[in-house]
């Protein structure tokens, strides 16, 4: 079994319902959910919107390979009503977004999938819920625990 950490977010529709629905489908299709963070209300990141996000993190065990996991999380997004994906960092409001943050200690850089998530260390809305459920999970590129990455992010003068 592989341990994966997923970041979930929603900023339109019934946000809590969308997140709970995503967790339910993750349990059915991905594997055993081991931990859930609280919901975190955050401002949109990378684009302007009048709708705040609800974000959370999920820890799960899966037998799926990284490409299979990506396909399944994208199918869950579609099944919950998401019609498009972010292209070339052009973000928009979304019913649900599921990102693969960490997959064991894997480092992967494929055209359609980068693990760990390439922006994980720059996003408070990802690190804060992830820190709640996995403060000592090690980022395989930076070789630092999530808790430390969060502290670094919150220290404006720090540079990688």
């Amino acid at each position: 079994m592989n341990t994966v950490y997923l970041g979930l977010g929603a900023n339109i529709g019934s946000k809590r319902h969308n997140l709970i629905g995503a967790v339910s489908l993750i349990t059915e299709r991905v594997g055993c959910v081991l931990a859930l963070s609280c919901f975190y209300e955050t401002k949109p990141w990378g684009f302007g919107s009048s709708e705040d996000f609800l974000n959370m993190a999920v820890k799960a065990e899966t037998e799926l390979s990284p490409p299979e996991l990506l396909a399944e999380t994208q199918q869950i997004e579609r099944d919950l009503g998401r019609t498009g994906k972010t292209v070339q960092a052009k973000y928009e409001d979304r019913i649900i977004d599921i990102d693969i943050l960490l997959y064991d200690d894997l480092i992967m850089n494929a055209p359609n999938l980068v693990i760990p998530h390439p922006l994980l260390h720059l996003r408070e809305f990802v690190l804060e819920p992830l820190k709640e459920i996995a403060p000592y999970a090690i980022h395989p590129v930076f070789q630092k625990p999530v808790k430390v990455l969060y502290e670094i992010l919150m220290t404006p003068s720090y540079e990688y």
Side-chain angles (χ1 to χ4, degrees):
M1 292 298 264
N2 304 289
T3 300
V4 297
Y5 294 93
L6 305 172
L8 282 62
N11 82 322
I12 55 176
S14 178
K15 299 171 205 179
R16 287 180 189 271
H17 178 78
N18 297 344
L19 293 174
I20 292 166
V23 170
S24 177
L25 291 174
I26 288 166
T27 301
E28 288 177 23
R29 301 179 188 176
V30 170
C32 182
V33 170
L34 303 174
L36 299 171
S37 74
C38 294
F39 295 124
Y40 289 81
E41 189 169 354
T42 63
K43 297 292 180 197
W45 187 92
F47 74 106
S49 176
S50 61
E51 298 294 329
D52 287 346
F53 273 83
L54 271 186
N55 295 99
M56 67 182 304
V58 173
K59 177 183 181 181
E61 284 185 333
T62 188
E63 292 181 356
L64 300 177
S65 69
E68 291 169 332
L69 178 61
L70 177 64
E72 198 58 62
T73 57
Q74 289 179 340
Q75 185 60 52
I76 290 169
E77 290 174 340
R78 287 189 295 274
D79 290 348
L80 291 173
R82 185 161 181 187
T83 56
K85 285 297 284 179
T86 301
V87 178
Q88 297 181 3
K90 293 192 190 311
Y91 301 107
E92 58 187 34
D93 293 323
R94 61 207 71 158
I95 289 173
I96 190 69
D97 185 41
I98 304 171
D99 288 332
I100 301 170
L101 304 176
L102 299 168
Y103 185 107
D104 290 332
D105 59 357
L106 180 69
I107 298 172
M108 179 178 183
N109 195 356
N112 65 336
L113 181 57
V114 177
I115 300 174
H117 190 286
L119 300 174
L120 183 156
H121 65 290
L122 300 174
R123 293 176 165 177
E124 181 180 358
F125 67 89
V126 172
L127 285 173
E128 191 169 19
L130 185 58
K131 174 180 66 85
E132 179 187 333
I133 64 170
Y136 301 105
I138 301 295
H139 189 292
V141 173
F142 298 119
Q143 291 297 304
K144 292 182 177 11
V146 168
K147 179 180 183 217
V148 171
L149 292 176
Y150 179 79
E151 291 166 0
I152 290 169
L153 181 65
M154 302 314 290
T155 306
S157 61
Y158 188 89
E159 292 184 26
Y160 284 89

